[in-house]
Each structure stands twice: as C-alpha cells, then as structure tokens.
Amino acid sequence: MDNKTSPGDTHDLEIWASRMAAITPDIHTHGNLTERSIASLLRMVREQLDLEVVFVGEFVDDHRVFRHISSKAIDAIIKPGQGHPRIESICQRILDGRMPCVIPNVTPIRTSNGLPEYYHGMGAHVGVPVRFTDGRLYGVLCGFSFEPRADLDERDVKRLEMAAKAAARLLAQAEGRE
C-alpha cells in the first residue's frame, strides 16, 4: 500500500507537520529522549517515503559522518560513526547544486558524476541540508532505496525539509542551543 496521499490532497503537508510535532516535543534534556525522538522522526520519514534507509549525517571537517540511522534491515548497510569524504558524497553534490535533491535512479548517473563504487546498487536517493536556526550547517538528512523510485518528487523534498528542521531543532536542544 502506498503511504503517500494523493497529489490532490491539500492537507498533506499539514498532516506531515502534525505527525512530526507529535514526535519531536520541546525537550530540554540530553541523551535518550533526544536519541529516541530523532529515531522516531527518521523511522516516520523512512516509512512514509517507503525508503530502505534514512539518516542524518553530520559534516565534520571534510567528512560526512552518519550520526542517526533508520533502516528497514536489522543490520543496516551503514552504521553510526561511519563516514566518507564529503567531496565524494551525493549529499555534497546536492548542497553545492551539482545534483538535485531527488534522484529517482542513481545507477545511470553514478559513473558520469564520478560517484564512488559504494553507490553501486543504489536505486533512488533524496536529501536536504540540516541547518540550525542561526543558519549554521550541521549536515544532511538523506534517504535511499535499492530500487529506482520514479514516484519520489518535490512534495517529498518538502517533507524531508520539514523533517530536517525538526531534526535540527532536536540536535540544537541536545547541544543546549535552544
């Protein structure tokens, strides 16, 4: 069953926002509550967009480091703390405008865009920046599937942008910024 509402549903983004508000309450504590809230947020995004993996990656120096991950598989293909050089990532290409936020099929563009071998076998990819309210870039919120996904569109990018704002808020609160 398709978890997305019909394109004509004018309340789609409002429903999405209310689901995120229920998952990401105002918190002023560190640790488990923040982790659980981010995990719930990522799981909701993954399930609603029907992706294999959704993650928050932090940019640390010249690397993208996976910090929070939701995966359909019990043994996720990526693990917290792992990372790659930022310059090699689709995430960096999205940020600097070399690739769109939604890539329905990575396979045919992998070689022509100089993507590393670890992108072999990836179907669709969707990603947006995660920025704190002061404009500082934390990293990215991205998701992918192993099969191409022609149904992913700009509405899904808007959903991801809302989720990225919620994730940034949770991360900022955990750091004592908000």
Side-chain angles (χ1 to χ4, degrees):
M1 180 176 167
D2 186 4
N3 289 327
K4 290 169 38 168
T5 59
S6 67
D9 187 351
T10 58
H11 300 291
D12 182 42
L13 293 178
E14 290 88 0
I15 292 168
W16 182 260
S18 69
R19 287 180 183 160
M20 281 191 300
I23 291 171
T24 59
D26 283 329
I27 58 170
H28 298 287
T29 61
H30 302 313
N32 284 342
L33 185 54
T34 300
E35 292 294 322
R36 286 194 316 261
S37 295
I38 292 173
S40 293
L41 175 68
L42 295 183
R43 185 178 60 251
M44 185 198 76
V45 170
R46 182 180 52 76
E47 290 172 354
Q48 291 296 309
L49 298 184
D50 194 25
L51 298 168
E52 297 294 325
V53 176
V54 173
F55 66 87
V56 172
E58 180 181 16
F59 289 150
V60 179
D61 299 322
D62 293 332
H63 285 78
R64 178 204 50 208
V65 180
F66 302 113
R67 294 295 185 207
H68 305 276
I69 300 164
S70 176
S71 174
K72 279 186 181 178
I74 291 172
D75 189 23
I77 191 167
I78 56 176
K79 308 269 189 259
Q82 290 179 331
H84 299 105
R86 216 174 133 169
I87 197 162
E88 293 179 359
S89 71
I90 289 176
C91 304
Q92 182 61 47
R93 288 170 169 82
I94 289 171
L95 286 175
D96 61 25
R98 290 183 285 154
M99 295 185 110
C101 291
V102 176
I103 304 168
N105 190 355
V106 172
T107 300
I109 64 166
R110 188 177 65 78
T111 304
S112 63
N113 282 275
L115 294 172
E117 186 62 28
Y118 54 80
Y119 284 106
H120 179 73
M122 184 176 286
H125 184 283
V126 58
V128 297
V130 174
R131 293 187 186 277
F132 294 117
T133 56
D134 65 4
R136 187 173 61 89
L137 180 66
Y138 174 85
V140 290
L141 172 60
C142 295
F144 61 86
S145 66
F146 297 124
E147 298 296 325
R149 293 281 307 283
D151 62 309
L152 291 173
D153 58 23
E154 285 305 309
R155 183 178 54 184
D156 298 313
V157 172
K158 295 289 184 207
R159 289 174 166 174
L160 217 57
E161 287 170 344
M162 284 191 277
K165 286 179 185 177
R169 187 169 144 240
L170 289 166
L171 292 164
Q173 288 174 344
E175 293 178 4
R177 294 174 179 267
E178 287 186 13

